[in-house]
Amino acid sequence: MADMLLRLAGVHTHIGPYHILQDVTLDVPRGGVAVLLGRNGAGKSTTLRTIMGLWRASAGEILFDGKAIHSLATPEIARSGIAYVPENMGVFSDLTVAENMRLAAVDGPFDARRLAWIKELFPPIATFWDKTAGTLSGGQKQMLSVARAIIEPRRLILIDEPSKGLAPAIIASMTSALRELKETDTTILLVEQNFAMASALGDTVSVMDDGRIVHAGDMRALAADAGLQEQLMGLSLEEHQ
Amino acid sequence: MSETAIRPKLVGPTPLERVRRAAPLLLAPVMALAGLAAIGDPSVWLTLTVAGLAMGLMIFIMASGLTVVFGLMDVINFGHGAFVSVGAFVGFTVLAWLAGWTQSPAVILNLAAVFLAILASMAITGALGLAFERVIVKPVYGHHLKQILVTMGGLIVAQQLIHVVWGPDAIHVARPQSLQGSFIFGEAAIEKYRVFAVGIGLVLFLAMRHVLRATRLGLLVRAGVENGEMVEALGYRIRRLFLLVFMAGSALAGLGGVMWGLYQETITAHMGSEIMVLVFVVVIIGGLGSIEGCFIGALLVGLLANYMAFLAPKIALVSTIALMVGVLMWRPQGLYPVVKAK
Ligand SMILES: Nc1ncnc2c1ncn2[C@@H]1O[C@H](COP(=O)(O)OP(=O)(O)OP(=O)(O)O)[C@@H](O)[C@H]1O
Ligand SMILES: [Mg+2]
């Protein structure tokens, strides 16, 4: 097996009385992009939230770089080197773009070169630097949310559906931004329903259904196999586009 | 990224939204003008207005901690009034020790005595807040009913402790020499202490605003009120932040207690829980968790209570409740609804 930065082994998550994740095993190779696919309600967001400690795994283990993190509190998990872009983007709408970025830079002042790179990656960050984040458009908020996650180098970034609700042109530019990020050797676990984006970025892919992993393998293999897509997701993902 | 896709476009608030957002700011001046119209006599109105502002700002000091505590961790603290009472008694004790200073004609000694009294009561109520949060509030995070019961229990214990330490009777608090009496403007008499209270209240409001807007800690508090989970996911321990806010809020309640005691010139163990009615009205009017809303709500309640005490004393208290109902009919979440994630 290749070198894995993140491993989930036999993870179960309960939310109140509901048993949501049922024996989830998932590997994220170091330096690559692992994609997590699955229909609505499959448990993708719950998986990311469980990794972040926002839901607690009731059984199983989560190893980050070989170290068990499933019993750590969320802030400690974050500080161990994991950044999180949640499904709702988690932008602080009352704060300015600059203030959002400032809070994301937990280790202190900005690294000027990194900030310049981010502003190049996502021009609206520069344009709206002093604007209240609540006034940004959905796509701009998504960019801010990703920008926050990368303002300081993190070993792993969890991104939950960055294409959600975005216009096709914005999805394309988000994809190229993430591809550039991938080239910096950042490891990414990407939840994505947009198959074009998923297949453009992913190295490996896991497919979830009903809280279980029903397929794990190479992204290219899945992308090439319409029959398998059909079988896994009930309809050819190509039809989605 | 492709150039066309992200050509930035500013999606700012529309003019209508701006008006909606600014409308609450006009409420206090409108209330003051309505008061002038109803009262008629400008000098009576001036006296009442200064009294209303002083009262409002003192309530703001007491309410600010409560609203942020609620906003940040959804904690309902019915025991907040305990800090007001304890603060007032500690302040009284310090002022009594410094009787030589308070009775001196030297303004500087008078003010020094008041500031020492404030410092001492903030230190003690802040420490008490620490204990209160760890022992009473922490075990009931996330359970509103338990919070209400348990913090009310804490309030009762604190009131009994005040009886043990200072005795069961109301105590008269004398204002320092230079804060007694009134300034005379034409026919209007304005109590010096009220002007002093307005000054302290405004300075505190500006300081609080500065902390919330310009410091990292303040940004974290504002971010945490909106989305505590995300603050944690960035790597900050929100419970530690909350503890700090709880202590600061308790210390501010203690400060408010000293100011309120000097305003009423009488203190009792129950003064805190009595004023809490108005404090809750203000917090609800403002929008749970909103400092700006709390500030405006406090001014409205202070002004209205004083105007009504003059115009129709029998319904003065009811009028503040009516104000709350009116505001909630206009804006069900309060003047400045706090945006909560999800
Ligand atoms: N707070 C909650 N309380 C109860 N059930 C929940 C909660 N959050 C999620 N669930 C349930 O857990 C299951 C998985 O939800 P999850 O959000 O992880 O799905 P998802 O794969 O991210 O779906 P989507 O593509 O719609 O975002 C769903 O059945 C959902 O109803
Ligand atoms: Mg989801």
Side-chain angles (χ1 to χ4, degrees):
Chain A
M1 192 111 230
D3 183 19
M4 295 301 162
L5 181 61
L6 181 78
R7 309 197 69 150
L8 278 70
V11 169
H12 290 255
T13 299
H14 287 79
I15 304 179
Y18 307 105
H19 190 176
I20 310 289
L21 297 191
Q22 308 185 16
D23 195 21
V24 169
T25 295
L26 180 73
D27 285 325
V28 180
R30 194 185 298 272
V33 175
V35 173
L36 188 55
L37 288 172
R39 56 189 181 82
N40 294 118
K44 307 180 296 293
S45 299
T46 305
T47 304
L48 296 195
R49 287 178 60 85
T50 304
I51 296 168
M52 280 316 287
L54 294 168
W55 299 127
R56 206 135 285 287
S58 43
E61 32 172 32
I62 304 175
L63 300 177
F64 178 53
D65 215 0
K67 203 172 128 259
I69 57 167
H70 49 267
S71 45
L72 298 184
T74 300
E76 285 156 292
I77 294 172
R79 297 252 178 187
S80 72
I82 306 182
Y84 176 47
V85 180
E87 197 166 14
N88 64 7
M89 301 178 280
V91 162
F92 303 123
S93 57
D94 198 30
L95 273 50
T96 64
V97 169
E99 289 167 340
N100 268 276
M101 296 293 283
R102 210 172 132 205
L103 288 188
V106 288
D107 292 335
F110 298 124
D111 171 348
R113 276 183 45 206
R114 213 172 160 85
L115 185 60
W117 170 62
I118 288 173
K119 286 178 171 174
E120 209 175 294
L121 221 47
F122 302 119
I125 300 294
T127 317
F128 300 128
W129 188 245
D130 287 316
K131 287 278 174 302
T132 309
T135 63
L136 298 180
S137 73
Q140 292 161 351
K141 279 184 187 149
Q142 194 62 262
M143 292 177 204
L144 174 56
S145 192
V146 175
R148 276 194 324 197
I150 60 178
I151 182 64
E152 285 175 349
R154 298 277 177 261
R155 285 184 289 166
L156 173 66
I157 303 182
L158 313 177
I159 311 181
D160 201 341
E161 288 197 56
S163 72
K164 197 176 179 182
L166 301 190
I170 308 279
I171 295 180
S173 43
M174 181 61 80
T175 305
S176 56
L178 292 183
R179 189 179 292 124
E180 192 169 324
L181 181 61
K182 180 180 172 176
E183 266 142 38
T184 64
D185 275 337
T186 310
T187 307
I188 301 175
L189 173 54
L190 176 69
V191 166
E192 191 46 73
Q193 308 247 35
N194 180 297
F195 197 69
M197 186 172 190
S199 54
L201 291 167
D203 299 309
T204 62
V205 60
S206 299
V207 183
M208 275 194 114
D209 199 17
D210 260 344
R212 299 164 210 271
I213 301 288
V214 294
H215 170 86
D218 202 54
M219 186 75 223
R220 237 173 303 159
L222 179 64
D225 190 341
L228 184 58
Q229 291 171 29
E230 176 111 25
Q231 178 202 330
L232 287 171
M233 277 150 291
L235 72 167
S236 165
L237 287 164
E238 315 246 299
E239 284 172 20
H240 263 319
Q241 294 162 45
Chain B
M1 299 189 74
S2 69
E3 263 307 306
T4 49
I6 35 68
R7 169 86 9 108
K9 190 165 80 233
L10 182 59
V11 192
T14 65
L16 194 71
E17 275 167 42
R18 275 176 211 277
V19 171
R20 271 184 60 84
R21 182 121 190 115
L25 293 175
L26 297 173
L27 287 180
V30 166
M31 169 86 71
L33 287 178
L36 180 57
I39 292 160
D41 182 340
S43 49
V44 173
W45 172 80
L46 185 60
T47 304
L48 292 174
T49 302
V50 174
L53 292 177
M55 178 175 165
L57 285 162
M58 284 184 278
I59 294 176
F60 166 72
I61 294 169
M62 298 183 244
S64 55
L66 193 68
T67 198
V68 178
V69 157
F70 182 86
L72 205 53
M73 290 288 276
D74 242 8
V75 165
I76 302 180
N77 180 13
F78 271 65
H80 196 66
F83 304 115
V84 173
S85 299
V86 171
F89 277 86
V90 172
F92 155 76
T93 304
V94 172
L95 287 175
W97 284 340
L98 298 175
W101 291 13
T102 59
Q103 281 156 23
S104 146
V107 177
I108 189 83
L109 284 182
N110 292 173
L111 292 182
V114 173
F115 281 116
L116 282 178
I118 285 176
L119 274 184
S121 73
M122 287 182 80
I124 288 183
T125 50
L128 206 61
L130 173 70
F132 200 88
E133 203 279 339
R134 291 289 91 173
V135 177
I136 296 182
V137 177
K138 192 177 171 213
V140 292
Y141 280 158
H143 305 275
H144 280 163
L145 184 62
K146 285 185 191 166
Q147 282 164 11
I148 292 172
L149 294 175
V150 136
T151 55
M152 277 175 108
L155 172 68
I156 293 168
V157 171
Q159 287 173 344
Q160 293 308 313
L161 285 177
I162 290 175
H163 285 168
V164 170
V165 177
W166 284 281
D169 300 323
I171 295 178
H172 173 74
V173 188
R175 292 178 193 163
Q177 277 291 325
S178 48
L179 293 176
Q180 292 174 8
S182 303
F183 299 114
I184 308 294
F185 286 104
E187 287 176 27
I190 295 171
E191 278 188 30
K192 290 178 187 168
Y193 181 72
R194 290 176 179 167
V195 176
F196 175 73
V198 169
I200 299 266
L202 284 178
V203 167
L204 269 170
F205 172 65
L206 293 177
M208 237 181 272
R209 229 169 68 128
H210 175 78
V211 168
L212 284 171
R213 292 196 173 177
T215 70
R216 192 179 187 85
L217 188 72
L219 292 183
L220 277 174
V221 169
R222 284 165 57 206
V225 166
E226 177 176 348
N227 190 343
E229 265 187 358
M230 195 61 220
V231 168
E232 294 219 283
L234 289 177
Y236 301 98
R237 293 193 186 87
I238 201 154
R239 294 214 167 166
R240 194 177 285 182
L241 184 68
F242 177 71
L243 179 59
L244 216 64
V245 167
F246 198 95
M247 288 174 66
S250 307
L252 284 171
L255 189 167
V258 177
M259 301 289 296
W260 191 243
L262 283 167
Y263 184 68
Q264 304 276 61
E265 298 182 280
T266 310
I267 58 176
T268 69
H270 296 278
M271 62 184 281
S273 46
E274 284 157 16
I275 192 72
M276 282 317 279
V277 177
L278 290 182
V279 168
F280 273 111
V281 166
V282 162
V283 167
I284 293 168
I285 287 181
L288 293 159
S290 161
I291 284 274
E292 286 92 350
C294 178
F295 180 71
I296 294 172
L299 294 184
L300 291 178
V301 165
L303 289 173
L304 184 67
N306 279 275
Y307 294 153
M308 293 307 282
F310 173 79
L311 293 166
K314 282 187 185 146
I315 59 163
L317 182 63
V318 181
S319 68
T320 57
I321 307 279
L323 173 70
M324 177 177 80
V325 173
V327 167
L328 292 184
M329 281 163 67
W330 177 42
R331 292 196 171 176
Q333 307 287 317
L335 295 178
Y336 286 109
V338 169
V339 196
K340 282 268 178 194
K342 272 184 285 178

